[in-house]
Amino acid sequence: MLLSLKKIPASGTRLLLLAIPLLFPLLSWAIHPNAAGFRAAVVKVDITPEKHQMLLGYGARKSTGVYDKIYHRIVVMDDGKTQFVLVSTDICLVSPSEYDKVAAKLKKQLGIDPVNFWWNFTHTHSAPEVGPPGLPAIFLGDRYQHQFDTEYTEMVERKLLDGIQEARQKLVPARLGVGWGLSQANINRRAKDVDGKAYLGMNPDGPVDRRIGLLRLDREDGSPLALVSNYAIHGTVMSGSNLLISGDAPGVVAEYVEQKLGAPLLFINGAAGNLAPIYSVYPSPQAGKLSQFRVLLGDKVLEANKSITATTSDITLKAAGLIVETPRKPELGWTDDLKNYTRTTKAGVNLVRLPVRFLQINDDIAIWSAPLELFCEISNEIRDRSPFPYTFYFGYGNGWLGYLLTAEEMTHGGYEVTVSPYTPAAAKDLTDSVVNYLQGKK
């Protein structure tokens, strides 16, 4: 429609002429929604409790103090069309029902769809419980003879929501880079005796994943905004004898890299179901040589960061999800708060409904995530079969639905089998579903 200035009074004409320069940017954005370009922000929020807390991981025990602080680290990325939230929290895990609760609040308060909200956990075994136990109560009922601390849980939730809101308000033009690194800070922990039985220990000949997957976010001027480091390692340098709150190896590594880099590091664990730190289950940080992980893993993250020489502001984000259904162990019970994560077929077979998330960044980066303690052979195979040159698995994502082992490893028994709801079919069901999805995107 053409507008004739002749029909508008002189005063109105002047107002219109003044308004036109203000309207053009809005019209341009409406026609080209990516015109604003790629933006990002990062926020780090302290969630260290003031009171003693029940710690998750190992047997039930209460903290007596703090060795190092624990945090939410929050990154928001915005390509002008999709806004994506990634969170790394220094706790062991939560029930998927706790994720659902927070995701619903986030959708209501900030309009962020759950598919664009990933909440990952570093899996430190020296941090407080958050929310109801969920599936672990089925396997380890004796451990949960107490109520979780609702006051601390509400604080963790509130600080997460406030932190995401703050990050959205701090979005700045940004650039993104990607790369690989390598660290030998982990080891297969499925030790086997002559009878073939598996035990928690060390297996230097067992499968392992020592790759570091790295995303780097820079400001427009090239200064670092944030790092996202993906590495598979249990947060078990310290044993159940330790009663001091700590981020364990992931937390120590994150703090060290941040001091060196001058920007926050989101430590995102990988397929660590059968991978322990090379120093594992010691009674104290000193006995476990916790500080050495600054060199063993922290310096390797910094080296990988230096190898990223190219970044771009031309970014497209595509988030999606699918449900993988696989049979659960016969006669295994379930918890009421996880009723959306199971169903029974007409033939009476109980299934686990496993939510898998995907984030595609441009044409070369594919990230997938699941609420699993996954064995590394599975993520290694998926990465090898993926058509994307950078394929990362973000573990402990949006909750915890148990260990998922390969069919071969299930025959050896061991602790992980006792806390898995899955049958030997699960590894193939998951692998085929994820690979088919990734291959369908190329």
Side-chain angles (χ1 to χ4, degrees):
M1 181 180 73
L2 296 177
L3 186 64
S4 173
L5 297 181
K6 292 181 181 179
K7 298 181 180 180
I8 300 177
S11 59
T13 302
R14 285 194 296 272
L15 290 173
L16 180 60
L17 290 173
L18 289 171
I20 285 173
L22 300 176
L23 289 172
F24 270 127
L26 296 176
L27 292 171
S28 174
W29 184 88
I31 297 169
H32 304 288
N34 288 323
F38 178 61
R39 298 182 300 156
V42 61
V43 169
K44 180 179 175 181
V45 184
D46 190 342
I47 58 167
T48 310
E50 296 180 354
K51 301 177 182 178
H52 301 313
Q53 294 289 325
M54 296 298 294
L55 303 179
L56 188 57
Y58 309 119
R61 68 206 199 283
K62 181 171 281 192
S63 67
T64 58
V66 175
Y67 178 74
D68 53 66
K69 292 184 176 182
I70 56 176
Y71 299 91
H72 290 309
R73 292 174 172 91
I74 303 163
V75 159
V76 174
M77 297 184 287
D78 189 323
D79 67 1
K81 188 176 182 180
T82 297
Q83 196 168 92
F84 184 84
V85 178
L86 175 66
V87 180
S88 171
T89 298
D90 291 323
I91 59 175
C92 188
L93 51 86
V94 301
S95 171
S97 64
E98 174 65 20
Y99 164 80
D100 290 339
K101 176 184 175 184
V102 174
K105 290 182 178 180
L106 191 63
K107 177 71 179 295
K108 181 178 180 180
Q109 295 178 19
L110 301 179
I112 297 175
D113 192 277
V115 77
N116 293 319
F117 166 50
W118 290 16
W119 189 8
N120 294 81
F121 308 97
T122 64
H123 203 53
T124 170
H125 282 40
S126 297
E129 299 173 343
V130 174
L135 197 58
I138 297 294
F139 305 115
L140 306 167
D142 291 344
R143 190 210 178 283
Y144 297 96
Q145 298 301 311
H146 60 274
Q147 292 295 319
F148 69 92
D149 188 326
T150 57
E151 182 180 352
Y152 179 70
T153 295
E154 288 169 1
M155 182 269 277
V156 168
E157 295 171 354
R158 182 179 68 257
K159 287 195 171 185
L160 178 54
L161 294 168
D162 290 347
I164 293 171
Q165 186 171 19
E166 180 184 349
R168 294 179 85 193
Q169 295 169 349
K170 290 184 173 180
L171 288 167
V172 295
R175 302 178 65 86
L176 186 144
V178 61
W180 291 110
L182 182 70
S183 168
Q184 300 189 66
N186 61 12
I187 188 169
N188 189 292
R189 70 177 196 171
R190 296 265 293 172
K192 295 184 175 72
D193 210 332
V194 291
D195 58 2
K197 298 297 183 182
Y199 304 88
L200 292 176
M202 290 188 180
N203 181 2
D205 298 318
V208 72
D209 182 7
R210 293 192 165 124
R211 284 203 196 187
I212 301 168
L214 202 65
L215 296 177
R216 188 174 83 211
L217 294 167
D218 289 344
R219 298 179 181 86
E220 265 191 324
D221 62 5
S223 61
L225 183 63
L227 278 183
V228 178
S229 178
N230 178 214
Y231 186 76
I233 187 171
H234 253 78
T236 54
V237 172
M238 292 177 286
S239 70
S241 299
N242 171 65
L243 300 179
L244 299 177
I245 288 171
S246 172
D248 205 272
V252 166
V253 169
E255 285 288 296
Y256 174 72
V257 172
E258 288 171 357
Q259 292 168 9
K260 294 289 185 180
L261 189 68
L265 168 71
L266 275 72
F267 190 106
I268 307 292
N269 219 319
N274 52 347
L275 300 181
I278 60 170
Y279 302 123
S280 196
V281 292
Y282 285 83
S284 69
Q286 294 76 24
K289 305 173 181 64
L290 184 61
S291 65
Q292 289 188 20
F293 285 88
R294 295 178 297 180
V295 175
L296 292 165
L297 182 51
D299 281 345
K300 301 303 184 292
V301 171
L302 292 168
E303 288 175 15
N305 178 53
K306 290 179 181 178
S307 72
I308 300 175
T309 57
T311 59
T312 180
S313 60
D314 187 10
I315 296 294
T316 300
L317 306 170
K318 297 177 182 177
L322 63 81
I323 300 294
V324 177
E325 293 192 330
T326 188
R328 78 175 196 240
K329 288 177 179 176
E331 309 303 324
L332 180 71
W334 206 249
T335 62
D336 291 340
D337 66 314
L338 295 177
K339 61 184 179 181
N340 293 331
Y341 294 87
T342 188
R343 77 176 181 91
T344 303
T345 68
K346 292 181 179 178
V349 178
N350 292 324
L351 302 176
V352 179
R353 304 185 75 245
L354 184 58
V356 181
R357 296 286 178 81
F358 297 91
L359 176 65
Q360 181 180 337
I361 305 177
N362 293 353
D363 294 325
D364 54 354
I365 304 171
I367 306 170
W368 68 285
S369 183
L372 289 171
E373 198 137 5
L374 191 67
F375 271 37
C376 68
E377 302 96 303
I378 299 169
S379 66
N380 287 351
E381 179 182 349
I382 290 171
R383 183 174 62 209
D384 291 343
R385 294 172 60 186
S386 170
F388 292 85
Y390 296 97
T391 301
F392 304 150
Y393 169 67
F394 284 11
Y396 308 97
N398 302 340
W400 189 85
L401 287 174
Y403 282 86
L404 200 154
L405 303 75
T406 62
E408 164 64 22
E409 281 299 313
M410 293 192 83
T411 65
H412 296 284
Y415 166 73
E416 297 90 349
V417 176
T418 67
V419 287
S420 172
Y422 306 103
T423 71
K428 186 176 188 304
D429 290 340
L430 177 65
T431 300
D432 288 349
S433 297
V434 174
V435 169
N436 289 341
Y437 180 90
L438 294 175
Q439 291 180 348
K441 292 301 175 180
K442 277 291 191 178

